[in-house]
């Protein structure tokens, strides 16, 4: 938080959005405080005073990311009548987000994670927890399909189905980062949904 009695000389929401753009482009480890100060237009002392450490700033950035770019796929799971429609809409919304012309073509949850330094382990685990929550959200929607009679619990391993579609979501991001076109990503979604019946029916 800002020091008591000292009015802010910057807009926190704008500064957070600019920090998001830097982290999104460079990842956590690849982003320096000097790059953040330039992008946010504020001194490093103001970053530490208002947002805390780089780690604290990143956690706030991810909260902002989840409420903006991360929201459409998550909302898609709730807004459709059947589990199949919800999963399909989630995958389509994921493609929409990772092919936006105004943002890097990948999901921050997948590709902004640190990979090396031991001191960054808390951030790795923080992002892993969010990714695990994706699996949980998909599993919960499948469980709702079971509860509503759409899916037969005796024939559907909802953990396995949820793990599969979580993997598809994360794989789409990697493919987009590596240059896959929107049409190519949509073909992946089509293939993933073509397997719905086999995945939800016991062999």
């Amino acid at each position: 938080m800002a020091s008591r009695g000292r009015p802010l000389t910057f807009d926190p929401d704008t500064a957070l959005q600019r920090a998001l753009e830097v982290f999104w482009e460079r990842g956590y480890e690849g982003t320096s405080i000097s790059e953040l100060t330039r992008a946010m237009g504020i001194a490093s002392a103001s970053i530490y005073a208002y947002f805390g450490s780089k780690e604290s700033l990143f956690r706030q950035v991810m909260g902002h990311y989840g409420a903006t770019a991360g929201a459409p796929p998550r909302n898609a799971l709730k807004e459709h009548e059947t589990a199949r429609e919800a999963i399909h809409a989630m995958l389509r919304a994921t493609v929409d987000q990772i092919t936006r012309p105004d943002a890097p073509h990948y999901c921050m949850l997948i590709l902004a994670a640190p990979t090396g330094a031991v001191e960054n382990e808390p951030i790795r685990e923080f992002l892993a927890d969010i990714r695990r929550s994706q699996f949980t959200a998909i599993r919960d929607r499948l469980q709702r399909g079971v509860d509503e009679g759409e899916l037969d619990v005796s024939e559907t391993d909802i953990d396995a189905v949820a793990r599969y579609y979580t993997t598809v979501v994360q794989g789409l991001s990697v493919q987009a980062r590596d240059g896959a076109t929107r049409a190519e990503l949509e073909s992946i979604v089509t293939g993933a949904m073509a397997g719905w019946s086999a995945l939800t029916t016991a062999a």
Side-chain angles (χ1 to χ4, degrees), residues 159-169 188 191-193 195 199:
D159 282 354
V161 178
R163 190 73 63 192
Y164 171 75
Y165 284 110
T166 302
T167 302
V168 174
V169 168
I188 294 171
M193 294 312 301
L199 288 165

Side-chain angles (χ1 to χ4, degrees), residues 10-186:
F10 62 92
D11 177 56
D13 292 337
T14 300
L16 200 62
Q17 177 61 35
R18 290 175 178 170
L20 165 62
E21 292 165 3
V22 178
F23 280 125
W24 202 342
E25 184 65 39
R26 297 181 177 274
Y28 181 78
E29 285 184 338
T31 299
S32 67
I33 288 294
S34 61
E35 288 168 327
L36 289 168
T37 60
R38 287 195 297 272
M40 297 167 76
I42 59 178
S44 58
S46 294
I47 291 178
Y48 290 120
Y50 189 84
F51 296 103
S53 63
K54 175 185 171 183
E55 178 181 331
S56 176
L57 172 60
F58 182 76
R59 290 173 182 268
Q60 293 173 67
V61 160
M62 290 308 301
H64 178 63
Y65 176 82
T68 53
R74 187 172 61 251
N75 292 339
L77 286 172
K78 306 172 185 176
E79 295 171 351
H80 292 270
E81 184 175 351
T82 68
R84 189 187 190 285
E85 291 170 342
I87 297 296
H88 196 183
M90 175 197 66
L91 296 179
R92 292 199 310 266
T94 298
V95 171
D96 287 343
Q97 292 304 307
I98 61 178
T99 57
R100 287 170 46 191
D102 61 340
H105 285 184
Y106 55 83
C107 171
M108 282 187 72
L109 286 176
I110 310 304
L111 296 168
T115 57
V118 173
E119 61 265 25
N120 291 327
E121 176 61 25
I123 287 295
R124 283 196 290 275
E125 189 59 25
F126 166 66
L127 292 172
D129 281 343
I130 300 175
R131 290 193 296 272
R132 284 189 282 266
S133 75
Q134 290 181 316
F135 164 78
T136 301
I138 294 171
R139 188 194 184 285
D140 287 349
R141 184 60 187 85
L142 295 172
Q143 182 61 54
R144 178 179 151 193
V146 170
D147 296 342
E148 294 177 351
E150 176 192 356
L151 301 176
D152 187 338
V153 69
S154 67
E155 295 189 335
T156 304
D157 182 345
I158 60 173
D159 282 354
V161 178
R163 190 73 63 192
Y164 171 75
Y165 284 110
T166 302
T167 302
V168 174
V169 168
Q170 296 173 357
L172 286 168
S173 182
V174 175
Q175 288 290 309
R177 190 274 310 273
D178 290 345
T181 66
R182 183 184 180 92
E184 289 167 338
L185 297 175
E186 288 176 342

